Amino acid sequence: MRLAKRIKNLRPYLFAEITEKIAEKRSKGKDLVSFAIGDPDIATPPHIVERLCQAARDPINHHYPETGGLPQLRQAIAEWYKKRFGVSLDAEKEVLPLIGAKEGVAHIALCFIDPGDIALVPDPAYPVYSKGTEFAGGEPYYMPLTEENNFLPALDTIPPQVLKQAKLLWINYPNNPTGAVADIDFFNRVVEFANQHDLAVCHDGPYTEVTYDGYQPVSFMQAGGAKEIGVEFHSLSKSYNMTGWRIGMVVGNATMIDALKKVKSNLDSGAPQAIQYAAIEALTGPQDCIQEHNAIYQRRRDLMIDTLNNIGLKARAPRAGLYVWAKVPQGYTSMDFANDLLERVGVVVTPGIGYGKNGEGYVRLSVTVPDAALVKGLSRLSGWRDRKNRFKLKK
Ligand SMILES: Cc1ncc(COP(=O)(O)O)c(C=O)c1O
């Protein structure tokens, strides 16, 4: 048996590796609190689960779905965008349901990237942007996201020869892992830049509904001309605690949507219909759950920030998303620090280096940890002492 080079050179997916490490430690009796994964701990709201159960009992939903999804779901997505962002979409041509945003994010590279082509990818970032590019035979060009730039890419610093080969530009706000947000001026600038350099834009926005302190994110689709050059990926995973059901969507440019639909119709058979009905219920039913979940996350975020600052770690309170992006103490790499927390206080965080070179120096903590475990984890973090710098600190 001879595996493909792409598999031989492929590292396991960051979170698969972390989950395995946690399982191994737990199987040896280690009591861990994990802040590593952004998977909402709160159950899917009951009215959504109820609709799913109903739809699952109906034999009409026991068949292959259409790649393009149920027309009623496409319509519900278009109406949700209108209501949420004032964006008008043609439900036939500008909306496509996905088997979770991850699936579409990975597959869209196949629509644009030929061997030798470049995709502009933020660093640090959700790893699927670069992996999708590599699977398609292309190369990511990493755009550093730094604190000095408010974790926005400095588009003007991308070399002209890179721009010549680049076909896709990835952006993601509210951002995972940095917690940064972007305003409409930034999105307008992205549209202008994409037009100048003939780039297709993929904005990944699954966290627009997870917000704090009254913050209202904008959709990339609100930028003037966005629909002419780009799409936005979205998901029901984070907004409605539906990570386990695997349902998301992509909206925007009809040519890009059509190309992705062509790829998907050759590779998958669409999202199960019962889950599509649950998604319709989520998007069109009562929305109180969103505020309720956000209030819980905000309280946790505040506790987390206090604890981190108390032990000398700098972390800004994010205005959106599920993550706190904290600076590691001086003298530690992100991996050193994550290992130190794991071994000495039984707390799991994600090392920033897992999201790219520019993630070095940070760790990511998710607020999707049930209250009791969160309190236990934070109390363990409070007890953490910096052994490397202890002599320096005493001076
Ligand atoms: C930035 C970003 N995009 C996409 C996804 C995937 O979402 P889904 O569950 O819809 O596949 C995630 C999940 O963590 C994410 O953080």
Side-chain angles (χ1 to χ4, degrees):
M1 193 185 294
R2 289 168 301 153
L3 291 173
K5 282 194 212 98
R6 91 172 56 82
I7 294 294
K8 285 189 196 146
N9 301 335
L10 186 66
R11 275 183 56 86
Y13 188 56
L14 172 65
F15 298 103
E17 230 173 0
I18 292 173
T19 311
E20 266 174 35
K21 200 165 174 181
I22 295 173
E24 189 204 315
K25 291 263 177 202
R26 283 186 174 145
S27 74
K28 290 182 184 151
K30 181 110 180 166
D31 173 31
L32 297 178
V33 177
S34 173
F35 292 105
I37 317 263
D39 187 353
D41 57 303
I42 308 161
T44 310
H47 65 285
I48 302 174
V49 178
E50 191 45 49
R51 183 69 189 95
L52 172 63
C53 294
Q54 246 178 32
R57 279 187 218 106
D58 187 343
I60 199 146
N61 296 321
H62 298 180
H63 300 281
Y64 285 121
E66 296 285 342
T67 304
L70 291 165
Q72 306 93 298
L73 175 56
R74 292 198 303 272
Q75 194 58 40
I77 293 169
E79 281 165 19
W80 184 81
Y81 258 84
K82 183 79 193 161
K83 203 157 63 183
R84 256 311 267 112
F85 301 113
V87 168
S88 300
L89 295 165
D90 177 339
E92 287 308 303
K93 298 193 181 108
E94 295 174 341
V95 175
L96 180 64
L98 300 169
I99 311 171
K102 184 178 184 182
E103 174 263 300
V105 164
H107 282 146
I108 197 144
L110 297 173
C111 305
F112 284 92
I113 302 295
D114 289 314
D117 289 342
I118 287 180
L120 306 172
V121 173
D123 173 357
Y126 181 59
V128 187
Y129 314 140
S130 52
K131 283 294 159 258
T133 307
E134 287 165 0
F135 283 156
E139 245 183 78
Y141 172 85
Y142 292 107
M143 305 177 291
L145 303 187
T146 62
E147 203 167 342
E148 300 77 65
N149 271 342
N150 294 319
F151 300 108
L152 299 172
L155 300 173
D156 296 329
T157 64
I158 303 170
Q161 68 274 21
V162 169
L163 285 169
K164 262 193 214 137
Q165 273 175 272
K167 288 167 110 181
L168 265 190
L169 166 61
W170 279 101
I171 47 171
N172 156 231
Y173 296 95
N175 186 258
N176 172 18
T178 67
V181 294
D183 60 16
I184 197 68
D185 292 344
F186 172 73
F187 287 151
N188 284 329
R189 168 80 191 102
V190 167
V191 173
E192 189 191 344
F193 184 79
N195 278 319
Q196 270 164 11
H197 300 285
D198 192 19
L199 298 166
V201 178
C202 291
H203 178 243
D204 187 19
Y207 297 99
T208 65
E209 305 314 290
V210 185
T211 67
Y212 312 118
D213 310 319
Y215 174 68
Q216 288 269 343
V218 280
S219 156
F220 175 64
M221 286 296 127
Q222 287 172 265
K227 226 200 271 182
E228 274 73 67
I229 48 89
V231 290
E232 179 161 272
F233 290 89
H234 214 298
S235 173
L236 281 82
S237 287
K238 320 288 175 170
S239 318
Y240 301 100
N241 303 344
M242 290 175 72
T243 48
W245 306 118
R246 312 309 304 128
I247 188 85
M249 64 268 208
V250 58
V251 305
N253 183 270
T255 308
M256 293 174 74
I257 300 263
D258 188 53
L260 184 56
K261 191 166 148 189
K262 219 185 244 175
V263 167
K264 279 173 59 60
S265 64
N266 280 282
L267 292 182
D268 68 57
S269 301
Q273 268 183 200
I275 291 169
Q276 294 191 49
Y277 280 110
I280 296 171
E281 178 63 30
L283 294 170
T284 60
Q287 301 294 304
D288 328 343
C289 55
I290 299 213
Q291 288 312 321
E292 287 164 17
H293 301 154
N294 288 350
I296 295 171
Y297 294 143
Q298 183 170 319
R299 186 168 37 76
R300 293 177 183 170
R301 174 203 69 169
D302 292 342
L303 286 172
M304 196 178 271
I305 295 281
D306 280 350
T307 307
L308 293 170
N309 289 341
N310 283 341
I311 59 167
L313 267 63
K314 282 198 203 122
R316 283 198 230 166
R319 293 157 86 193
L322 294 171
Y323 313 107
V324 168
W325 188 235
K327 268 202 169 138
V328 303
Q330 234 190 349
Y332 288 79
T333 65
S334 61
M335 197 59 95
D336 280 346
F337 185 57
N339 280 332
D340 205 55
L341 290 182
L342 176 67
E343 299 301 335
R344 287 179 45 217
V345 293
V347 165
V348 189
V349 299
T350 328
I353 189 73
Y355 301 92
K357 214 167 69 183
N358 288 283
E360 187 48 276
Y362 294 87
V363 288
R364 193 195 77 169
L365 290 86
S366 167
V367 294
T368 55
V369 179
D371 287 345
L374 181 108
V375 168
K376 179 161 128 181
L378 294 183
S379 128
R380 288 180 181 188
L381 279 177
S382 300
W384 179 82
R385 291 291 170 266
D386 183 348
R387 286 193 183 164
K388 278 197 188 181
N389 293 311
R390 62 191 188 279
F391 301 113
K392 267 190 243 158
L393 290 174
K394 272 185 193 158
K395 277 188 200 162

